[in-house]
Amino acid sequence: SKPDVLMLDEPTNHIDLKSVEWMESFLKAYPGSIILVTHDRYFLEEVVTRIVEIEFNRLYSFPGNYEQFLEYKSQIKVIEAKTEESRQGVLRRELEWIRRGPKARATKQKARIQRFEELDAQDGPRTHRDLVFEIPRPPRLGKDILEVDKLCYYYGDKMLFDRFSMIMQKKMRLGIVGPNGCGKTTLLNVLMGKTPPRRGQVLIGGTTEFLYVDQTHDDVDPAKTILDYVSNGATYWEINGLRIHVPAYLQSMLFDMDTVRMPMRNLSGGERNRVYLAKKLLQGGNFLVFDEPTNDLDLPTLRVLEEAIEDFDGCAIIVSHDRYFLNRLCTHVIVFEDASELTYVTGNYDDYLAFKERKREEAATAPLPAPVPVAPSAPAKAATGKLSWKDQQDLSTMEDTIHAAEAEVARIEALVVQPGFYGPDHAHIQQTLAELESVRNRVERLYARWAELESRQSTR
């Protein structure tokens, strides 16, 4: 039997997108009531019908989803600002009247002064301090940033990814999505040159400096103070020729001067993640690499981190299960599919979903190929080790033929990863993708033919 009320505390933390999407569908169809604590903005948008916010030790209840919640909050801020403006106007007028010392009946004069004092004693609308993620100004990126060609990696007999190629360009923000354990972190380590690929090449530009923010937080010492953890007690850091005052840097991330002397063990999970981000971002670089940076971060922190990455004058690779985060930031997406296949799409996660939907529709409506009549043929002769004159000609030119075919694959792949490729010209998109698939298949056939000819030649 199902409970009348389902209570969930951060149900989407540390689970992959497919699981999140399944859970979203389940909760939308759930017949009972649901109370959940979450920072997943798509859950707030698609699942909930009322949002309760805790702010300044008070509960605020708003009907509707996340978009409506933001509208209500905006309206409240406008009303509060107008109310405060009106209060300050009355105070100015009453203060001028008091300073003039007008003659009036004592009771009215005292009542007016009392109203002024009551109005003056009121607090204005409470506001949060502005949170800022300070990413130091990055050094200049060169023309060659990061290029990978036919990458392959496997553990034992488990293939994680195979024959994957990609070129990073300036201001690209690449999202990586896939189930837990599929190889996303391994792909990051291969792209950064930390782990050599089994096959293929990784070419890292001479000016490329990776700034890696992992998800393990292994170096967090609970006994250290925030300041000692972030900068080993140093007051100033030199980053890219700039002198940064570390306590002021931490203040911009909402840690006041008293708090920076507090041990790390006293922090919540979200505060600890914010300190970890502060330490990592302080190290500088021109190529951000984030491995699930959104875990345990609250909504205001998420929004500020998104703005910092958007404004960053460099490249970024982001592994995340946060759909809102991916949609806002990413210019390209890599998705781990089944059977170690990587799908590489220009656009954000919603663009990837639209691409998959188009592929499903085309597969469903494509006519079945007509059967090809097979002419009777003479029994095949057993292959011998001797190569015919044509086989020898093929073998002598096979390497050049393969190079030419691979160059054609690279040319079409460069077109596909161009910004705006997945535009309104659907026929052109499908023609190009079909051409790419045809040339890739030709390369595979050529390699198989080459292996066969060399095998036969070696047995002569």
Side-chain angles (χ1 to χ4, degrees):
S1 62
K2 294 183 175 65
D4 293 330
V5 180
L6 190 61
M7 306 188 73
L8 304 170
D9 189 0
E10 300 283 3
T12 63
N13 263 9
H14 307 288
I15 64 174
D16 59 63
L17 263 177
K18 286 191 179 297
S19 300
V20 170
E21 289 164 356
W22 174 89
M23 188 182 300
E24 179 186 305
S25 299
F26 170 77
L27 294 179
K28 288 171 76 171
Y30 187 74
S33 299
I34 303 169
I35 299 175
L36 62 91
V37 176
T38 184
H39 297 137
D40 190 310
R41 288 161 287 184
Y42 269 90
F43 256 50
L44 293 171
E45 183 67 29
E46 299 294 333
V47 175
V48 307
T49 57
R50 177 172 291 274
I51 294 177
V52 176
E53 181 185 39
I54 303 174
E55 186 176 45
F56 302 124
N57 301 320
R58 291 180 62 186
L59 290 177
Y60 298 88
S61 180
F62 303 89
N65 58 14
Y66 183 63
E67 182 179 353
Q68 292 166 318
F69 163 75
L70 293 178
E71 291 174 358
Y72 286 128
K73 290 283 289 183
S74 177
Q75 292 168 4
I76 288 173
K77 289 185 181 298
V78 170
I79 293 170
E80 286 179 343
K82 289 182 177 179
T83 302
E84 177 62 12
E85 184 181 359
S86 176
R87 185 177 76 92
Q88 292 295 336
V90 172
L91 284 174
R92 285 193 298 271
R93 290 194 299 273
E94 293 301 292
L95 184 58
E96 291 172 2
W97 175 81
I98 290 173
R99 285 173 176 168
R100 290 199 305 269
K103 295 180 180 180
R105 287 183 296 174
T107 53
K108 285 189 175 182
Q109 192 173 19
K110 287 181 180 179
R112 190 168 179 179
I113 292 172
Q114 184 179 354
R115 283 197 301 272
F116 167 79
E117 291 173 346
E118 290 172 353
L119 206 59
D120 189 42
Q122 293 177 9
D123 291 326
R126 297 184 66 179
T127 58
H128 294 282
R129 285 168 52 194
D130 290 334
L131 168 65
V132 179
F133 272 112
E134 292 283 353
I135 303 180
R137 188 182 67 206
R140 186 186 65 82
L141 274 169
K143 180 180 177 182
D144 298 322
I145 300 172
L146 174 66
E147 182 175 350
V148 295
D149 183 44
K150 300 183 184 63
L151 280 192
C152 168
Y153 199 89
Y154 52 85
Y155 288 112
D157 59 353
K158 182 182 180 182
M159 180 68 71
L160 298 184
F161 46 87
D162 190 21
R163 298 184 66 79
F164 175 67
S165 300
M166 177 197 71
I167 299 174
M168 286 293 293
Q169 298 170 330
K170 289 183 179 179
K171 297 293 285 184
M172 271 182 61
R173 295 188 293 274
L174 174 67
I176 300 180
V177 179
N180 292 329
C182 67
K184 300 187 295 296
T185 299
T186 301
L187 177 59
L188 288 184
N189 287 326
V190 172
L191 294 178
M192 291 187 291
K194 292 175 175 285
T195 301
R198 301 295 188 183
R199 291 194 300 272
Q201 282 188 314
V202 179
L203 303 175
I204 300 173
T207 61
T208 301
E209 296 180 19
F210 293 109
L211 196 170
Y212 181 39
V213 181
D214 63 49
Q215 58 176 308
T216 59
H217 301 190
D218 288 337
D219 62 346
V220 173
D221 183 350
K224 277 188 176 182
T225 67
I226 294 174
L227 182 60
D228 284 339
Y229 170 70
V230 171
S231 67
N232 293 323
T235 305
Y236 291 92
W237 264 33
E238 294 284 340
I239 305 291
N240 301 330
L242 298 176
R243 196 169 188 235
I244 295 177
H245 185 238
V246 180
Y249 171 78
L250 288 170
Q251 277 187 298
S252 71
M253 303 185 76
L254 305 189
F255 295 102
D256 57 37
M257 290 308 234
D258 294 329
T259 306
V260 297
R261 306 291 180 185
M262 186 172 65
M264 293 284 290
R265 69 167 66 92
N266 293 354
L267 300 179
S268 68
E271 288 174 325
R272 183 173 298 190
N273 201 10
R274 189 150 28 101
V275 173
Y276 181 75
L277 280 169
K279 176 178 181 176
K280 289 292 185 175
L281 297 179
L282 194 60
Q283 295 173 3
N286 52 24
F287 197 131
L288 303 177
V289 181
F290 286 104
D291 195 355
E292 301 199 26
T294 63
N295 289 339
D296 302 313
L297 293 182
D298 57 36
L299 291 180
T301 306
L302 283 172
R303 287 195 291 267
V304 173
L305 179 59
E306 288 166 354
E307 291 166 2
I309 297 174
E310 272 188 320
D311 293 338
F312 182 70
D313 191 23
C315 291
I317 296 178
I318 305 161
V319 174
S320 180
H321 302 309
D322 188 320
R323 292 166 293 180
Y324 201 102
F325 199 78
L326 293 167
N327 279 339
R328 178 170 179 181
L329 292 176
C330 292
T331 61
H332 298 72
V333 176
I334 295 173
V335 180
F336 279 73
E337 307 280 8
D338 297 330
S340 71
E341 178 188 352
L342 299 188
T343 298
Y344 183 40
V345 174
T346 300
N348 59 21
Y349 187 69
D350 278 352
D351 294 319
Y352 159 75
L353 293 178
F355 166 75
K356 293 293 285 185
E357 183 60 29
R358 287 197 300 270
K359 296 281 283 185
R360 279 192 292 268
E361 291 173 355
E362 289 161 7
T365 58
L368 293 175
V372 179
V374 179
S377 58
K381 295 181 180 179
T384 64
K386 186 176 180 180
L387 295 179
S388 68
W389 180 84
K390 182 178 184 306
D391 289 340
Q392 292 174 5
Q393 289 296 108
D394 285 350
L395 182 59
S396 66
T397 60
M398 185 60 71
E399 193 168 355
D400 291 338
T401 304
I402 289 175
H403 284 325
E406 288 180 332
E408 181 66 5
V409 170
R411 183 189 70 80
I412 302 174
E413 285 178 341
L415 293 176
V416 170
V417 301
Q418 286 295 318
F421 171 75
Y422 291 94
D425 192 346
H426 184 67
H428 172 69
I429 293 170
Q430 296 312 311
Q431 180 182 348
T432 306
L433 292 176
E435 184 181 355
L436 176 59
E437 187 67 19
S438 173
V439 179
R440 283 173 172 167
N441 290 337
R442 180 167 183 262
V443 170
E444 294 294 335
R445 291 195 301 271
L446 287 171
Y447 270 109
R449 172 73 170 154
W450 193 13
E452 177 209 344
L453 292 175
E454 287 197 324
S455 173
R456 288 170 58 192
Q457 185 183 48
S458 64
T459 59
R460 290 179 58 183

